[in-house]
Amino acid sequence: MAEQFLMAIDAGTGSVRAVLFRPDGEQVSCVQKEWEHKEDPRYPGSMDFDWTHNWELACECIRGVLAETGIDPKQIAGISTTCMREGIVLYDKEGNEIWACANVDARSDDEVGKLIRMNPELEKEVYLQSGETYALGALPRLLWVKDKMPEVYEKVAEMGMFNDWLIRKLTGVEAVEPSNGSTTGILDLQSRTWDSSIAKKCGLRDDIFPPVKECGSIIANVNEKGAADTGLAEGTPVVVGGGDCQLGTIGVGATEPNQAAVFGGSFWQYEFNTASGATDPQCRVRVNCHAVPGVWQYEALAFKPGLVMRWFRDGFCQLEKQQSAATGEDVYDIMNREAEKIPAGSYGMMCAFSDIMNFIYWKHAAPTFTNFELDPEKFNRYTFYRAILENTAMIVKGNMELVKEATGNMPSEIIFAGGAAKSPLWSQILADVLGLPVKVPVVKEATALGAAILAGYGVGIYASIEEGAQRTVKFDRTFQPDMENHRVYEKLYGTWRSVYAAQLELVNEGITKPMWSAPGL
């Protein structure tokens, strides 16, 4: 019998990828194409999605994997899809795309204000049922289409997400799944299906929601057009996938309640699995359906740690960049080597960038470094750099404590993945700040692996999603906390919270500018 493979198609924020895996989790091939989402000059903050060009790029990735590996397309046992969350696609009654926006589209400030004026309590009502506020959900965006493009709004027959869009292009069948569908704010968390009354309360139509299919179920097979576009074999089973964070959590082995993962990239996500879809009474933390049926996730975000690192590297580390160019060593490895010499707590210096999460009133202080002395031996660029690493870990600690307040539970260890997990220093600092073991998986492409696990479960290669994760996820290293450093960070954390509150008050008084604030604030 010919060897079997599993394919994941991943529509990320900055690129689309096709990734081929063996059933044991070994990555065989990955072809990636960068894409961009352009702003419509008429609408500041908009982030349009070009469905025609972007489908062509997705097809190039799939064909590229087939060409690179030389496999017979019939050897692909199953395909699943994943994507950036929150982006939405609107279709007409013929199934053609008529409007789409990518994940951090920010054109709907006016509509958020309109919803708040219409009913100041409605956002809390929506959150308690759906786990979403207006900050990232689909409600203000749909209202924007209704107000600004009524001719498009009248033609809308269905709304879907980007992972569903990929499946629709392959099979001609449309269905939304709970993990990404729950990011719209129109899904009831408990039943894991649409609650169209939420749309109605916001003055929106309640007849545009396609069927909901649970993650890991076969939705359809690749049809004639899907095969012609991609080079895949007609009839290949296509399995319902999920949102990138939820599939990333599966791809690092966190499939069961009370397991937790941290994903460190441009943004950092703390994901905590629960056996209940109950929300936070104070509306501070996002709650989503997990891509494992019967499991939900509390999610708390740290804004822009990866972007802060890039800013610091490019603004202050020209010497290290020159060394990197000359030696081939990664610039961050050079920085880490020097920052390791700085004691835990960075001599008391702190910085403020992202706050811990407050979903219902989400605003960040102006970027700040504070509490340093004019002593270049102690307070040099490596101290500032280490303070950034420590600051991000303290945001994770704050988010973890928020989730504990809401759920009553804490994880016994953390799985750490994403680009930041490549840094042993950052991994150790995270362990020291949290006082918990931090496990780093071998495969850093966790989202695509999560999609492949769902594909394998859907076609019967794995008996369960949990078994698929156990068979494929392997760990590189575990970082044990240094409890002496942990005590230093415990003391510093309280001071940092006070400093951050004071910095946020300066923003609220209009003295400084926020690093970011949610629409309508």
Side-chain angles (χ1 to χ4, degrees), residues 312-386:
F312 191 82
R313 177 197 69 190
D314 294 345
F316 301 97
C317 303
Q318 283 79 8
L319 179 61
E320 288 75 16
K321 287 174 80 173
Q322 287 171 10
Q323 284 178 277
S324 173
T327 65
E329 187 179 10
D330 187 285
V331 65
Y332 291 122
D333 290 341
I334 298 168
M335 297 295 294
N336 288 340
R337 196 162 52 242
E338 296 302 321
E340 273 186 82
K341 300 171 186 174
I342 308 294
S346 299
Y347 303 107
M349 193 181 87
M350 290 161 284
C351 53
F353 291 96
S354 174
D355 199 358
I356 62 174
M357 193 163 179
N358 186 2
F359 206 13
I360 200 79
Y361 189 82
W362 213 356
K363 187 184 283 189
H364 300 298
T368 309
F369 286 90
T370 191
N371 208 39
F372 55 92
E373 299 165 21
L374 304 182
D375 177 351
E377 291 299 314
K378 285 185 175 179
F379 297 96
N380 51 50
R381 64 182 176 279
Y382 304 120
T383 321
F384 281 71
Y385 173 78
R386 184 177 180 113

Side-chain angles (χ1 to χ4, degrees), residues 7-119:
M7 179 175 277
I9 309 170
D10 180 1
T13 302
S15 64
V16 61
R17 299 176 297 160
V19 192
L20 197 70
F21 292 91
R22 288 192 168 89
D24 66 358
E26 181 191 349
Q27 184 176 308
V28 179
S29 173
C30 175
V31 175
Q32 178 169 306
K33 299 284 180 185
E34 289 190 357
W35 58 20
E36 57 183 344
H37 315 296
K38 291 176 181 166
E39 182 177 86
D40 185 327
R42 296 172 296 172
Y43 308 116
S46 60
M47 200 180 192
D48 286 339
F49 184 81
D50 182 346
W51 55 80
T52 303
H53 178 59
N54 291 346
W55 174 240
E56 289 169 2
L57 292 177
C59 292
E60 285 180 35
C61 293
I62 296 166
R63 287 183 176 279
V65 163
L66 295 173
E68 189 177 279
T69 59
I71 67 163
D72 182 337
K74 290 179 181 172
Q75 290 178 261
I76 298 174
I79 299 166
S80 192
T81 65
T82 183
C83 69
M84 60 175 131
R85 297 169 305 163
E86 298 101 29
I88 57 173
V89 186
L90 304 180
Y91 304 92
D92 64 18
K93 63 180 188 298
E94 280 80 41
N96 299 313
E97 304 95 329
I98 54 174
W99 189 86
C101 72
N103 53 357
V104 290
D105 182 279
R107 75 182 87 195
S108 52
D109 266 16
D110 292 350
E111 285 66 34
V112 171
K114 184 176 179 178
L115 287 166
I116 291 168
R117 289 190 300 274
M118 187 170 74
N119 180 351

Side-chain angles (χ1 to χ4, degrees), residues 83-87 103 180 183 243-246 286 288 299:
C83 69
M84 60 175 131
R85 297 169 305 163
E86 298 101 29
N103 53 357
N180 200 2
T183 70
D244 55 5
C245 267
Q246 289 94 328
R286 190 183 205 186
N288 295 314
E299 176 177 295

Side-chain angles (χ1 to χ4, degrees), residues 245-257:
C245 267
Q246 289 94 328
L247 293 204
T249 312
I250 291 173
V252 298
T255 57
E256 298 178 12

Side-chain angles (χ1 to χ4, degrees), residues 44-324:
S46 60
M47 200 180 192
D48 286 339
F49 184 81
D50 182 346
W51 55 80
T52 303
H53 178 59
N54 291 346
W55 174 240
E56 289 169 2
L57 292 177
C59 292
E60 285 180 35
C61 293
I62 296 166
R63 287 183 176 279
V65 163
L66 295 173
E68 189 177 279
T69 59
I71 67 163
D72 182 337
K74 290 179 181 172
Q75 290 178 261
I76 298 174
I79 299 166
S80 192
T81 65
T82 183
C83 69
M84 60 175 131
R85 297 169 305 163
E86 298 101 29
I88 57 173
V89 186
L90 304 180
Y91 304 92
D92 64 18
K93 63 180 188 298
E94 280 80 41
N96 299 313
E97 304 95 329
I98 54 174
W99 189 86
C101 72
N103 53 357
V104 290
D105 182 279
R107 75 182 87 195
S108 52
D109 266 16
D110 292 350
E111 285 66 34
V112 171
K114 184 176 179 178
L115 287 166
I116 291 168
R117 289 190 300 274
M118 187 170 74
N119 180 351
E121 294 301 310
L122 182 58
E123 187 173 19
K124 184 171 184 180
E125 282 178 40
V126 168
Y127 169 82
L128 291 174
Q129 192 165 356
S130 72
E132 294 291 321
T133 67
Y134 299 150
L136 298 171
L139 292 164
R141 292 166 180 178
L142 287 172
L143 193 58
W144 184 93
V145 177
K146 179 183 177 183
D147 289 350
K148 306 292 196 300
M149 292 185 167
E151 71 289 350
V152 171
Y153 187 75
E154 284 168 21
K155 291 178 186 170
V156 177
E158 284 184 318
M159 180 190 83
M161 318 303 283
F162 289 130
N163 52 325
D164 316 316
W165 168 76
L166 288 166
I167 288 175
R168 188 173 195 143
K169 302 300 279 187
L170 290 170
T171 68
V173 177
E174 173 68 26
V176 169
E177 50 70 36
S179 73
N180 200 2
S182 60
T183 70
T184 64
I186 314 171
L187 220 73
D188 175 76
L189 280 173
Q190 300 302 324
S191 64
R192 296 170 74 97
T193 191
W194 298 112
D195 183 344
S196 55
S197 71
I198 295 172
K200 226 171 182 177
K201 286 176 190 171
C202 296
L204 293 164
R205 286 170 49 192
D206 62 356
D207 61 348
I208 62 170
F209 305 114
V212 176
K213 295 271 189 188
E214 195 56 81
C215 309
S217 57
I218 294 178
I219 182 169
N221 297 328
V222 174
N223 64 12
E224 186 180 355
K225 184 172 190 317
D229 285 353
T230 61
L232 292 166
E234 189 176 347
T236 305
V238 179
V239 175
V240 177
D244 55 5
C245 267
Q246 289 94 328
L247 293 204
T249 312
I250 291 173
V252 298
T255 57
E256 298 178 12
N258 298 330
Q259 288 185 296
V262 172
F263 297 96
S266 298
F267 290 66
W268 278 37
Q269 291 100 357
Y270 170 61
E271 304 284 348
F272 180 72
N273 293 346
T274 73
S276 155
T279 47
D280 171 28
Q282 296 181 57
C283 312
R284 296 165 298 178
V285 187
R286 190 183 205 186
V287 187
N288 295 314
C289 298
H290 197 353
V292 180
V295 182
W296 288 260
Q297 282 188 326
Y298 269 69
E299 176 177 295
L301 302 172
F303 265 56
K304 304 184 179 181
L307 301 177
V308 172
M309 291 282 280
R310 190 186 304 169
W311 159 76
F312 191 82
R313 177 197 69 190
D314 294 345
F316 301 97
C317 303
Q318 283 79 8
L319 179 61
E320 288 75 16
K321 287 174 80 173
Q322 287 171 10
Q323 284 178 277
S324 173

